Amino acid sequence: MLSARSVFEEILDNDESFQLFCSIAASGESQGGWENARIAALLPEGQRALTAKVTRHGADEDKHGRIFNALLKKRGLDPVPVPPETDYTMLLEQRGIGLTHEKLRREEPLTERDVVVYLAHSRVTEQRASDQMDMLAKYFGDHPEVGRAVTMICRDEDNHLAYCHEELLRLAAAGHGRTILDTLHECARAETRVYRDVSIAVMSHMARILGWPKPKSAALASGIQAIYGYERFGGWRRMVSLKPPERRDALGGPATSAAGFA
């Protein structure tokens, strides 16, 4: 039976597909780590209280990148180049979502609006990350090879999402509500398209590696398009709503270690 679980089991069981999967994941997490580190360094004076939390966010993302690389090393595999069409972070930036790498490479302080854009972008992308890791934890939380990694990253992503809710609500109360709402909607619309395109590209590479027959590849592509259709016509709302999180001050304190991985 074709299911998300069976597809991921195939990917995990084959060295070449596992290598590509972990390389894509490690690259995305490492980019997130760099971006958050730069944002922490460039926060405007009025938002410097966020420095420790943004730094923690970046440290967590760096840790996740090291975990995926450690999973590769444990199998005796090296990271492989990430195909451009599977680079979620780069494709979002190309569509004008989030803060550009060009801006982050400068030594100019960010504006308060930049902070709003960063947090709104993170609110949307962390929802995606949390959803994905929840699914992987459900299916593979007890997996002997990846279970501990999946569980650890899942917990971190939930913390990141809680942090975004809390800080965006704070900024909304300070008068940024309209900007937050507009930015969330813009990000969500672009993200659902990018996620669809990246998912199809990743599955195309996996189909080649695993030798999937054309009907199976077509069925998976149709499933991805169906998810996009659901998100386009209403599912996107889960990515833009804001509510006080159950986990308060989720990024207070230092980042947790990746003991046993890296």
Side-chain angles (χ1 to χ4, degrees):
M1 179 180 176
L2 190 60
S3 65
R5 180 170 190 160
S6 66
V7 168
F8 274 102
E9 283 175 343
E10 285 190 68
I11 291 170
L12 293 177
D13 289 344
N14 178 280
D15 278 353
E16 189 178 352
S17 56
F18 182 76
Q19 186 179 38
L20 179 60
F21 173 78
C22 287
S23 297
I24 291 171
S27 174
E29 297 287 356
S30 296
Q31 285 186 68
W34 178 84
E35 289 168 3
N36 277 277
R38 290 301 300 152
I39 290 165
L42 299 175
L43 285 169
E45 188 64 34
Q47 296 296 329
R48 296 301 292 177
L50 278 176
T51 301
K53 292 181 180 180
V54 180
T55 300
R56 161 79 183 272
H57 191 179
D60 282 347
E61 303 288 3
D62 278 337
K63 177 183 70 177
H64 300 166
R66 295 196 306 274
I67 288 173
F68 282 114
N69 282 321
L71 290 173
L72 286 174
K73 185 176 180 181
K74 190 174 181 180
R75 269 206 205 181
L77 302 171
D78 293 321
V80 294
V82 174
E85 66 273 17
T86 69
D87 193 331
Y88 173 80
T89 303
M90 180 190 72
L91 291 172
L92 281 174
E93 181 179 348
Q94 287 177 355
R95 284 158 177 76
I97 301 303
L99 302 178
T100 67
H101 284 191
E102 180 185 2
K103 178 186 284 285
L104 295 179
R105 288 189 184 100
R106 300 175 195 154
E107 293 301 326
E108 300 172 8
L110 300 175
T111 66
E112 196 154 284
R113 189 182 188 284
D114 289 332
V115 175
V116 170
V117 169
Y118 149 67
L119 285 167
H121 172 232
S122 296
R123 158 65 186 109
V124 172
T125 57
E126 292 297 342
Q127 181 71 59
R128 182 70 70 188
S130 180
D131 290 347
Q132 288 184 314
M133 295 312 301
D134 282 346
M135 179 200 57
L136 290 175
K138 176 183 176 181
Y139 294 143
F140 301 106
D142 58 355
H143 190 280
E145 185 176 13
V146 303
R148 285 184 59 239
V150 164
T151 301
M152 182 182 297
I153 296 172
C154 184
R155 183 172 57 247
D156 287 345
E157 300 296 3
D158 287 345
N159 283 337
H160 299 168
L161 187 55
Y163 148 74
C164 292
H165 275 269
E166 192 168 43
E167 296 304 330
L168 284 170
L169 287 170
R170 176 182 64 80
L171 287 167
H176 295 281
R178 174 43 56 183
T179 302
I180 290 170
L181 186 62
D182 290 345
T183 308
L184 284 171
H185 284 212
E186 180 186 8
C187 286
R189 285 193 295 270
E191 195 281 340
T192 55
R193 291 192 294 271
V194 168
Y195 180 70
R196 176 201 58 187
D197 294 346
V198 167
S199 297
I200 288 174
V202 169
M203 286 303 138
S204 177
H205 283 279
M206 296 303 173
R208 175 186 57 78
I209 292 168
L210 296 168
W212 287 340
K214 287 185 178 179
K216 181 173 181 175
S217 297
L220 287 169
S222 294
I224 292 168
Q225 290 287 6
I227 291 171
Y228 172 67
Y230 160 75
E231 292 190 332
R232 181 183 175 189
F233 291 108
W236 60 272
R237 289 187 175 87
R238 80 187 189 287
M239 309 179 88
V240 302
S241 62
L242 293 175
K243 61 181 180 180
E246 293 182 10
R247 302 183 186 192
R248 299 300 179 94
D249 195 28
L251 293 190
T256 56
S257 69
F261 292 101

